[in-house]
Amino acid sequence: MLEPLLLVSVLGRPSLGRRRLIDGIRRRVRTGTPWRDLPPEYGPWQTVYGLFRRRQRDGVWSAVLTGLLISPTRSVTARWTIWIRDCSRV
């Protein structure tokens, strides 16, 4: 379902591996660290960031999130809910 949205271009330089780049994006989004602090196992941070920005401009991330929220058996509009939990102590 999501694979067509995450295709990497076949033009230009050889790919570093779609999985590796997507894992780098996931790690950055999950941890909130600066792009420059990505471990080298995900490839150069500029490459990971470039893929993230291109997909963001093209609306791919919104489509992925919507695809994950909507059941494939139903065509129901997604309901967005945000939960915020404050764990600070004074």
Side-chain angles (χ1 to χ4, degrees):
M1 176 175 93
L2 300 176
E3 189 171 352
L5 296 173
L6 301 176
L7 291 177
V8 175
S9 175
V10 294
L11 301 175
R13 294 182 183 175
S15 172
L16 290 172
R18 175 176 33 190
R19 174 75 181 242
R20 197 167 112 181
L21 295 174
I22 298 296
D23 284 348
I25 292 170
R26 289 180 52 235
R27 179 182 172 123
R28 194 293 180 179
V29 171
R30 186 178 66 245
T31 62
T33 60
W35 287 103
R36 291 178 186 262
D37 291 343
L38 273 179
E41 65 200 45
Y42 300 113
W45 72 266
Q46 298 93 333
T47 305
V48 179
Y49 174 73
L51 177 66
F52 173 78
R53 286 294 295 151
R54 281 192 306 277
R55 298 298 190 248
Q56 188 177 43
R57 277 194 311 262
D58 296 341
V60 170
W61 301 128
S62 297
V64 167
L65 185 57
T66 303
L68 291 172
L69 289 174
I70 296 176
S71 171
T73 58
R74 295 182 285 163
S75 60
V76 178
T77 305
R79 293 185 182 167
W80 303 89
T81 304
I82 298 175
W83 290 79
I84 299 174
R85 182 176 175 188
D86 183 7
C87 296
S88 61
R89 291 198 272 180
V90 179

